[in-house]
Amino acid sequence: MGEQPIFSTRAHVFQIDPNTKKNWVPTSKHAVTVSYFYDSTRNVYRIISLDGSKAIINSTITPNMTFTKTSQKFGQWADSRANTVYGLGFSSEHHLSKFAEKFQEFKEAARLAKEKSQEKMELTSTPSQESAGGDLQSPLTPESINGTDDERTPDVTQNSEPRTEPTQNALPFSHSSAISKHWEAELATLKGNNAKLTAALLESTANVKQWKQQLAAYQEEAERLHKRVTELECVSSQANAVHTHKTELNQTIQELEETLKVKEEEIEGLKQEIDNARELQEQRDSLTQKLQEVEIRNKDLEGQLSDLEQRLEKSQNEQEAFRNNLKTLLEILDGKIFELTELRDNLAKLLECS
């Protein structure tokens, strides 16, 4: 086909509602591949996206198109040929920016290709017309055929009045030689102009052949596209039937999957209940064993507590006796300290007296 993908990405595809011209209508249930294609035969760029076998985007990029970012992950452009507005929802801002850059790049390439095509057409048509028109004017002027007024009128004195052109027998020999040279020059000029006209005619013929070849190529391309459209229509009709059958099967499968899911949930619930019952039985046995162990340990602790109470009581009695002995000792110590104080006072008095 001569058309190859040059950039691809994935996005959700939308089209503007043809009735309201405001709301977006999704044309794909999930993210699909959106690709830029370059047709080297026609030198055009296109944006194409397929949802299965259905073409949901087929937009030829022109220099007048503009891709607009309406949010961080959504962009749109208008296609006047398809009479619609396409919208693309991307998974990230990076993918949107990359798609917008490619759109601007291929839009500029389409503009340059269009300008080159126009310049080529002008160069193939304008020079041939100018050369043919300019060369045709030269040999058809009265001066080039009959000579100028000075050449056709003999020399006269300044005061003489104009007279009629003399006959051929009355011309001098020198003047006849000049006319002969003039006609030879004119003949050479005519031969040169004839050669130029022949070259221009050959160039025009070559251009016509080239245009015919281009026209034949365009006709072949149109026939190929027409066949392709017919094939796509046939495939589309078959795809619609397959799609309907597929939709029914998908619905049936979805219902069976939902029923299976419900049954699996019920089985999981029963398994969970059995597991819970087992866990409760294990917990009951474990708690019974722990309770027995606690009772045994409780009895041991009660014996230890009774022993400790006896020890505590004995310790308290011993502490009480120790306190009483300590109190008695303190009383004796106080008496001794008092006696020592009196003795110190008496000694001090004796020292003063002596």
Side-chain angles (χ1 to χ4, degrees):
M1 293 177 60
E3 193 171 22
Q4 299 294 333
I6 51 180
F7 177 77
S8 297
T9 186
R10 293 185 66 82
H12 291 271
V13 181
F14 300 85
Q15 283 190 11
I16 200 71
D17 190 348
N19 297 324
T20 62
K21 297 295 184 180
K22 294 181 180 179
N23 301 324
W24 289 105
V25 178
T27 56
S28 62
K29 295 181 180 179
H30 49 81
V32 295
T33 302
V34 181
S35 303
Y36 286 98
F37 278 79
Y38 175 64
D39 190 347
S40 58
T41 304
R42 296 185 298 165
N43 199 17
V44 296
Y45 295 85
R46 292 198 300 167
I47 303 175
I48 297 176
S49 178
L50 299 176
D51 188 5
S53 60
K54 180 182 178 182
I56 55 179
I57 297 179
N58 187 0
S59 178
T60 301
I61 299 176
T62 62
N64 297 326
M65 285 185 177
T66 301
F67 185 82
T68 305
K69 297 180 182 179
T70 57
S71 68
Q72 292 183 350
K73 298 181 180 180
F74 193 86
Q76 66 184 46
W77 78 95
D79 190 343
S80 59
R81 296 183 179 180
N83 193 22
T84 188
V85 179
Y86 294 102
L88 296 178
F90 296 88
S91 59
S92 65
E93 186 177 0
H94 172 72
H95 290 85
L96 173 60
S97 300
K98 190 67 175 177
F99 186 88
E101 291 175 2
K102 292 295 181 180
F103 191 98
Q104 186 65 28
E105 177 184 347
F106 299 143
K107 170 186 171 182
E108 184 67 18
R111 184 185 67 80
L112 294 175
K114 183 177 180 181
E115 290 179 355
K116 288 182 179 179
S117 177
Q118 290 178 351
E119 291 177 358
K120 185 176 180 181
M121 293 296 293
E122 291 176 356
L123 290 174
T124 55
S125 61
T126 305
S128 60
Q129 293 176 358
E130 291 178 352
S131 61
D135 294 339
L136 286 172
Q137 290 177 0
S138 177
L140 295 179
T141 55
E143 290 82 359
S144 62
I145 296 175
N146 298 327
T148 61
D149 292 339
D150 295 336
E151 292 171 346
R152 288 186 284 109
T153 306
D155 294 332
V156 293
T157 59
Q158 184 176 1
N159 295 327
S160 62
E161 295 180 358
R163 59 186 178 87
T164 59
E165 186 179 356
T167 60
Q168 186 176 358
N169 296 328
L171 291 174
F173 178 76
S174 60
H175 191 64
S176 297
S177 177
I179 292 175
S180 177
K181 291 181 181 180
H182 170 72
W183 283 113
E184 289 177 357
E186 288 293 332
L187 181 59
T189 302
L190 287 173
K191 288 182 179 180
N193 292 335
N194 188 23
K196 292 180 181 179
L197 287 173
T198 303
L201 181 60
L202 292 174
E203 183 180 0
S204 300
T205 304
N207 291 333
V208 170
K209 290 181 179 179
Q210 183 179 2
W211 294 336
K212 286 181 178 180
Q213 291 176 356
Q214 291 179 356
L215 180 60
Y218 292 152
Q219 289 176 348
E220 291 178 359
E221 180 69 14
E223 290 178 359
R224 184 185 63 80
L225 291 175
H226 182 68
K227 291 180 181 179
R228 180 61 178 167
V229 169
T230 305
E231 292 175 358
L232 289 175
E233 288 176 352
C234 295
V235 171
S236 177
S237 61
Q238 296 176 359
N240 290 330
V242 173
H243 181 70
T244 303
H245 184 60
K246 182 180 178 181
T247 304
E248 295 176 355
L249 290 176
N250 288 334
Q251 291 177 354
T252 305
I253 292 171
Q254 187 175 2
E255 293 174 356
L256 292 174
E257 287 178 350
E258 290 177 355
T259 305
L260 181 61
K261 187 177 181 181
V262 172
K263 296 298 181 182
E264 288 178 351
E265 290 177 354
E266 292 178 356
I267 294 172
E268 289 294 332
L270 292 174
K271 288 181 179 180
Q272 189 69 26
E273 291 178 359
I274 294 171
D275 293 338
N276 292 334
R278 289 178 180 174
E279 290 178 359
L280 290 174
Q281 183 66 29
E282 292 175 357
Q283 290 177 1
R284 181 173 173 275
D285 296 338
S286 177
L287 289 174
T288 302
Q289 185 178 359
K290 287 181 180 179
L291 182 60
Q292 293 176 354
E293 293 175 357
V294 168
E295 289 178 352
I296 295 171
R297 188 176 180 184
N298 190 21
K299 290 179 180 181
D300 295 338
L301 289 175
E302 286 177 355
Q304 292 177 5
L305 181 61
S306 178
D307 187 21
L308 287 173
E309 287 178 351
Q310 291 177 359
R311 290 181 181 179
L312 179 61
E313 185 178 359
K314 183 177 178 181
S315 177
Q316 288 178 350
N317 293 330
E318 290 177 354
Q319 286 181 359
E320 185 68 24
F322 179 75
R323 286 178 183 175
N324 292 329
N325 293 331
L326 185 61
K327 186 176 181 181
T328 304
L329 182 61
L330 287 174
E331 289 176 356
I332 294 171
L333 185 61
D334 288 338
K336 295 296 181 181
I337 292 172
F338 181 75
E339 290 177 358
L340 288 172
T341 303
E342 288 181 350
L343 180 61
R344 178 181 175 279
D345 293 337
N346 293 327
L347 291 173
K349 290 178 181 180
L350 289 174
L351 289 173
E352 289 177 358
C353 292
S354 62

